[in-house]
Amino acid sequence: MAIDTPFRERAPASPRLGVRSRGALLGRLRQLQPYLYLLPALLAVGVWVYWPLIQTVELSFYRWNLLPTRPKVPVGFDNYLQVLTLPEMGIALRNTALYVIGLLPFSVILPLAFAIVTAGIGGPLRGVYRAVIFAPVLMAPVVVAVVWRWILHPTQGLVYHALQQPLGLPTINWFRDSMLSLPVIVFITGWGLLGFSFLIFTAGLTNIPREYVEAARIDGASSWQVARYITVPLLTPTISFMVMMTVLLGAQWVFPLINVLTQGGPQDATTNVYYILWQFGFRSFNVGWSSAAAVLFFAGFGVLAFLAVRLIDRFSIYDT
């Protein structure tokens, strides 16, 4: 006769069931593996990019002078209205457009021509030419500014002693003349940018199949015809990329030179949108105006980036 007890010993888990559970767990971990690799990068982007962006948007609605002991006063959209009505903002926007237009020959036209020409040079001379063109990229922008300030000094510079004094030309204060200061900063920035753009176009040339060029040569095409009908069309993705980079980042590239050489002067002739928001934040200590200007520029450049990407997709030619 069997005795019914309130407690029965639980049967031990099946070894096969345990193996299946561990296998399922390992399967789920393998699915998460790509996201775990991306997690450090995503955290860095969130901490260094999106969190400051959220704080900037928040500060644009307050009046505050960066002192922790002073309270933040909410002002609504007053900072945006004040920034949009400032006459300095119109000058900064105009100068930003001039900087971008002035930098395009240095970021697209000249490096594209140099890349095509040096690609046709054989032997060690090709490496020498490429090293000479790329060398300015290795110099820090502040060092570049100091060197060019010495070269263009009105009475003690290299240009004065090598050209102006022997030819009897008058002294020129390159960085204090309102008509010359902006073109000079564009030239110096373009001189430093040329090597970077040259490197990008040289890398783009390596992706063009040699069969196209050799077939054109067999058909009797000249170097100019090869460049016009084969090389340049197949480089349109690279050209579009450099145009977009110049439009979106050109104002940032000139910022160190403005800060070191002219401080936005004379009479705001060299200021731009990034320098003016820096002045709001760290000279006037008006964080609200600086944050409002930053949000407006972020939105404006975001629209430009969207339009640039659409144009790249529409006009680029790919070797499919």
Side-chain angles (χ1 to χ4, degrees), residues 59-65 71-75 78-79 286-288:
L59 290 174
S60 68
F61 296 103
Y62 288 91
R63 184 184 301 119
W64 189 42
N65 61 358
K72 301 175 187 175
V73 180
V75 294
D78 186 62
N79 289 328
N286 193 331
V287 177

Side-chain angles (χ1 to χ4, degrees), residues 3 30 39 94 99 105-106 135 185 230 248 264 269-270 287 294 304:
I3 300 174
R30 289 194 189 94
L39 186 59
R94 182 201 63 187
Y99 280 125
F106 296 96
I185 289 180
I230 296 177
L248 298 180
T270 58
V287 177
L304 288 177

Side-chain angles (χ1 to χ4, degrees), residues 177-310:
D177 190 315
S178 58
M179 297 295 294
L180 295 176
S181 52
L182 190 146
V184 169
I185 289 180
V186 168
F187 173 78
I188 298 173
T189 307
W191 173 77
L193 175 64
L194 190 63
F196 170 74
S197 301
F198 171 75
L199 182 66
I200 298 295
F201 283 116
T202 301
L205 283 174
T206 60
N207 293 325
I208 297 177
R210 293 295 304 170
E211 292 80 3
Y212 296 160
V213 178
E214 292 170 359
R217 295 289 189 191
I218 293 173
D219 291 338
S222 63
S223 298
W224 166 250
Q225 290 172 325
V226 170
R228 179 180 178 184
Y229 296 109
I230 296 177
T231 306
V232 173
L234 290 178
L235 277 177
T236 49
T238 308
I239 295 172
S240 304
F241 171 74
M242 286 309 303
V243 171
M244 184 178 70
M245 291 279 290
T246 306
V247 172
L248 298 180
L249 303 178
Q252 293 186 33
W253 291 335
V254 299
F255 177 85
L257 297 178
I258 295 173
N259 194 27
V260 174
L261 296 174
T262 65
Q263 292 81 46
Q267 298 175 350
D268 294 330
T270 58
T271 189
N272 69 3
V273 292
Y274 289 102
Y275 192 76
I276 199 169
L277 73 86
W278 180 82
Q279 284 182 310
F280 289 156
F282 298 103
R283 284 193 173 178
S284 304
F285 296 104
N286 193 331
V287 177
W289 282 18
S290 179
S291 301
V295 172
L296 291 174
F297 298 150
F298 176 78
F301 281 112
V303 173
L304 288 177
F306 174 77
L307 295 176
V309 171
R310 296 295 300 270

Side-chain angles (χ1 to χ4, degrees), residues 116-184:
I116 293 175
V117 170
T118 56
I121 299 175
L125 280 179
R126 180 168 59 183
V128 173
Y129 286 130
R130 289 178 173 178
V132 169
I133 297 172
F134 183 74
V137 180
L138 303 177
M139 298 177 65
V142 175
V143 176
V144 170
V146 172
V147 170
W148 277 97
R149 183 166 58 185
W150 169 73
I151 292 175
L152 297 177
H153 191 277
T155 57
Q156 303 297 326
L158 179 63
V159 172
Y160 175 77
H161 287 291
L163 295 176
Q164 293 175 256
Q165 191 177 37
L167 297 176
L169 299 176
T171 58
I172 301 174
N173 197 335
W174 299 92
F175 300 115
R176 294 302 172 192
D177 190 315
S178 58
M179 297 295 294
L180 295 176
S181 52
L182 190 146
V184 169

